[in-house]
Amino acid sequence: MGSFKAIILAAGKGTRMKSATPKVLHKICGKTILDYVLDVTSALRSLKTYVVVGHGAEKVRGLLGEAVTFVRQDRLLGTADAVNRCAPYLKNFRGTVLVLCGDTPLLSKEIVAALLKQHGRTGASATVLTAKLDDPRGYGRIVRDAQGAIKAIREQKDASGMEDKIKEINAGAYCFDAKDLFQVLKEVRKSRQKEFYLTDIVELLLAGNKKVGTVTAQDMTAAFGVNTRQDLAQAQAVIRQRILNAHMARGVTVVDPLTTFIEAGVAIGRDTVIHPMTVIHTDVRIGKNCSIGPMARLRPGTRISDGVEIGNFAEVSRATLGPGVFQKHFSFLGDAAVGAGANIGAGVVTANFDGKNKNRTLIGAKAFVGSDAILVAPTRIGAGAVIGAGSVLPKGRSVPAGKVAVGVPARVIKGAL
Ligand code: UD1
Ligand code: MG
């Protein structure tokens, strides 16, 4: 495939999202739209990735950190101008420049790898990713000559009646020879729409006797750009299904994929069963042979060992559950560590937030926390200890291992319950 540097265009306003958040920072399954595009460039080992930012630049920069170089485009003069902002960094680079749009979260690394491969093999000045769409509205059309070679990309707004009917579109992903790219960008003139179109360089390169090729994606998701909230929901549906499929392929039972929401960045062990209407957020790890849900919610920072059962209306957040823990109904464990084999009764709540800080609850192995107990964190329950049903364990209290505590406030009593 060869080495390459990447430019991701992400300066657009995203007006149609009607949002205070820059478009590329909207989230799908726990990750930003832009993260999905960056996943592609990093999976394919881009030597360097430049993200062109304009609208909400500081927010984008704040969220993405060090891994990429940000390039400012303060005035949105069009996609050619956006690429040209990277000239100071890339004009002396000799090699392939991959250009992607920051709003195409469904683009797969396989199709971009195919684009890079063909570009390298043919030695073209530019290779354009295209796709055939039943409804090509809004996209630039691929105009071909009688021999089927690409002649131009015509933007919808500038297309003639005939061109308007073309179903093959520009997916917005391209490979360029760096030298030819920055040379020809100087020749791009403002379009009738008063924008500098990157797509104009196809005709300019051909006029200069340079070679331009195409790769056609079989899967229309390659071209899918998020422009509206409806698009965001549609992209979410595709990505959610991809995530569920990947878990199922690794040996997880998802009883009802239609009502199961698992974000990106979740690991689940073999033979674990995820029951319907369960939500699992990003940064959650679940072991083997667990049963989760129905109607459970696992939030970031949750670590669940093997053989754990989490039932209906149970929520877990930033908590570690040892092997064989039972938490079967109506309960909340937040900022907690629960030892192996502990039983969390129905309605148990760790009151982890005191209005200022989040405090921890430690529950020892084989402890038994009775129904409706409230544990006002920080608290510590020793291994094998029993908390009576309906007890309130006050803040700062410990129950020694093997002891029984009951009442409001809970007191340690002699003997068993
Ligand atoms: C563009 C293509 C079109 C293609 C489509 C694929 C051009 C002229 N047209 O159209 O052929 O079918 O993408 O989705 O390139 N951006 C900047 N700075 C700017 C303008 C845009 O960074 O000044 C970024 C946007 O944030 C976006 C990308 O470039 O990520 C594409 O821009 P957009 O305005 O969405 O172009 P389209 O009209 O969709
Ligand atoms: Mg677009």
Side-chain angles (χ1 to χ4, degrees):
M1 199 167 66
S3 58
F4 69 97
K5 294 189 181 184
I7 297 175
I8 299 176
L9 306 181
K13 273 211 203 76
T15 315
R16 283 169 287 168
M17 294 294 283
K18 306 213 165 75
S19 176
T21 302
K23 176 165 81 176
V24 294
L25 294 187
H26 280 261
K27 284 193 171 176
I28 297 176
C29 297
K31 270 179 16 183
T32 67
I33 294 175
L34 185 54
D35 275 333
Y36 287 94
V37 183
L38 286 166
D39 280 352
V40 171
T41 55
S42 66
L44 298 174
R45 296 178 187 281
S46 147
L47 294 173
K48 190 98 206 161
T49 298
Y50 302 88
V51 179
V52 182
V53 288
H55 185 77
E58 294 316 316
K59 278 192 193 165
V60 180
R61 195 185 294 242
L63 228 94
L64 290 179
E66 307 291 302
V68 297
T69 302
F70 291 92
V71 179
R72 288 290 294 237
Q73 187 200 22
D74 288 320
R75 291 172 59 219
L76 298 180
L77 298 174
T79 44
D81 178 70
V83 171
N84 213 17
R85 299 284 122 204
C86 301
Y89 303 91
L90 285 167
K91 65 174 189 290
N92 296 323
F93 171 59
R94 293 292 165 259
T96 300
V97 175
L98 170 72
V99 176
L100 302 176
C101 294
D103 64 355
T104 53
L106 303 183
L107 194 67
S108 71
K109 66 173 191 294
E110 288 77 15
I111 192 71
V112 178
L115 181 71
L116 284 159
K117 198 169 157 202
Q118 166 143 336
H119 183 76
R121 206 185 52 219
T122 58
S125 287
T127 309
V128 181
L129 183 65
T130 77
K132 290 189 177 139
L133 303 188
D134 291 333
D135 179 9
R137 255 177 306 167
Y139 290 98
R141 307 299 208 281
I142 304 296
V143 184
R144 292 184 182 273
D145 66 15
Q147 283 71 47
I150 184 167
K151 266 197 339 196
I153 300 173
R154 192 77 68 231
E155 290 309 300
Q156 158 110 25
K157 291 175 194 136
D158 310 308
S160 66
M162 285 274 281
E163 289 165 345
D164 204 40
K165 295 204 169 55
I166 298 172
K167 295 212 183 289
E168 188 183 9
I169 59 97
N170 167 24
Y174 324 76
C175 285
F176 296 106
D177 171 74
K179 184 159 170 266
D180 292 346
L181 171 66
F182 291 103
Q183 194 119 46
V184 83
L185 273 174
K186 293 186 209 138
E187 297 172 31
V188 175
R189 297 287 166 261
K190 260 192 189 165
S191 72
R192 271 189 282 154
Q193 317 298 332
K194 304 269 179 297
E195 270 187 46
F196 295 94
Y197 287 165
L198 180 62
T199 45
D200 278 357
I201 74 177
V202 168
E203 273 167 295
L204 291 167
L205 285 169
L206 291 170
N209 284 323
K210 302 279 185 187
K211 199 165 152 186
V212 180
T214 58
V215 167
T216 304
Q218 295 312 316
D219 178 0
M220 66 72 67
T221 56
F224 190 85
V226 173
N227 293 309
T228 63
R229 304 271 182 165
Q230 282 96 319
D231 294 340
L232 189 70
Q234 250 180 290
Q236 188 273 152
V238 173
I239 289 171
R240 175 154 69 98
Q241 190 62 53
R242 283 181 186 171
I243 292 171
L244 292 169
N245 288 348
H247 287 298
M248 290 188 273
R250 282 187 223 112
V252 175
T253 293
V254 178
V255 175
D256 181 18
L258 285 177
T259 62
T260 304
F261 294 78
I262 303 180
E263 292 187 339
V266 172
I268 308 178
R270 273 193 185 190
D271 289 317
T272 284
V273 179
I274 312 293
H275 293 279
M277 287 167 273
T278 289
V279 178
I280 304 176
H281 292 272
T282 191
D283 185 26
V284 168
R285 279 187 233 135
I286 303 170
K288 289 183 284 199
N289 300 312
C290 295
S291 173
I292 311 291
M295 292 164 288
R297 181 177 183 211
L298 307 182
R299 293 171 52 198
T302 296
R303 303 287 179 261
I304 292 173
S305 305
D306 297 344
V308 168
E309 287 195 30
I310 295 187
N312 46 297
F313 304 107
E315 176 174 335
V316 185
S317 183
R318 291 180 309 275
T320 302
L321 277 55
V325 167
F326 279 1
Q327 184 199 353
K328 296 188 74 154
H329 355 244
F330 316 114
S331 54
F332 171 62
L333 291 173
D335 299 291
V338 183
N343 184 89
I344 308 299
V348 169
V349 170
T350 54
N352 61 329
F353 185 51
D354 61 12
K356 275 204 200 100
N357 299 307
K358 298 274 170 67
N359 300 306
R360 289 186 58 77
T361 299
L362 306 176
I363 300 173
K366 296 213 164 124
F368 185 96
V369 185
S371 295
D372 238 357
I374 309 283
L375 313 175
V376 185
T379 56
R380 180 190 290 267
I381 297 168
V386 174
I387 309 297
S391 301
V392 174
L393 193 59
K395 188 170 179 161
R397 198 66 61 85
S398 298
V399 178
K403 297 292 183 189
V404 177
V406 295
V408 180
R411 283 194 195 86
V412 174
I413 57 167
K414 284 213 173 89
L417 265 185

